[in-house]
Amino acid sequence: MKYIAAYLLAYLGGNSYPSAEDLTSTLESVGCEIDAESLELLLSQVKGKDITELLAAGRETFASVPSGGGGAAVAAAESKKEEKVVEKEESDDVRTLFSPLPFLPTRVYDV
């Protein structure tokens, strides 16, 4: 990815077809290590091609990749949560028997 970034920076700087030396000097100026094989592979794949056409082709490729932050998964999880709602049964709690008196204790003590 760093080689692509360096290539695009050189292109935006006015160098339509950057060389390995151009990219190496850019990357070394920010402290990156250079893998000559990876750099040469990139340059061989873009040699003689217009960068704007490559970017357009890349956008078309990414358009077919599913993305969106998992909105569908969240909606599915919410629908499952809704299905799991269990109604609470009435209990024999003293407070429910005497609902106007909420201050009563929950346990009934033998006197």
Side-chain angles (χ1 to χ4, degrees), residues 16-99:
S16 298
Y17 297 101
S19 66
E21 292 80 26
D22 297 331
L23 301 182
T24 300
S25 66
T26 301
L27 291 169
E28 286 178 344
S29 70
V30 293
C32 290
E33 293 182 19
I34 308 300
D35 178 15
E37 290 180 26
S38 298
L39 183 59
E40 290 301 324
L41 176 64
L42 171 72
L43 290 175
S44 69
Q45 290 178 343
V46 297
K47 184 177 181 179
K49 297 180 182 174
D50 183 28
I51 192 69
T52 56
E53 290 175 6
L54 290 174
L55 290 172
R59 273 193 217 120
E60 290 175 13
T61 303
F62 277 121
S64 65
V65 175
S67 63
V74 171
E78 287 178 3
S79 66
K80 286 183 180 181
K81 286 180 184 178
E82 291 175 9
E83 293 173 6
K84 291 182 179 181
V85 174
V86 178
E87 291 184 27
K88 184 177 178 182
E89 295 181 18
E90 291 184 26
S91 66
D92 294 331
D93 190 42
V94 172
R95 284 185 288 186
T96 59
L97 294 175
F98 301 102
S99 58

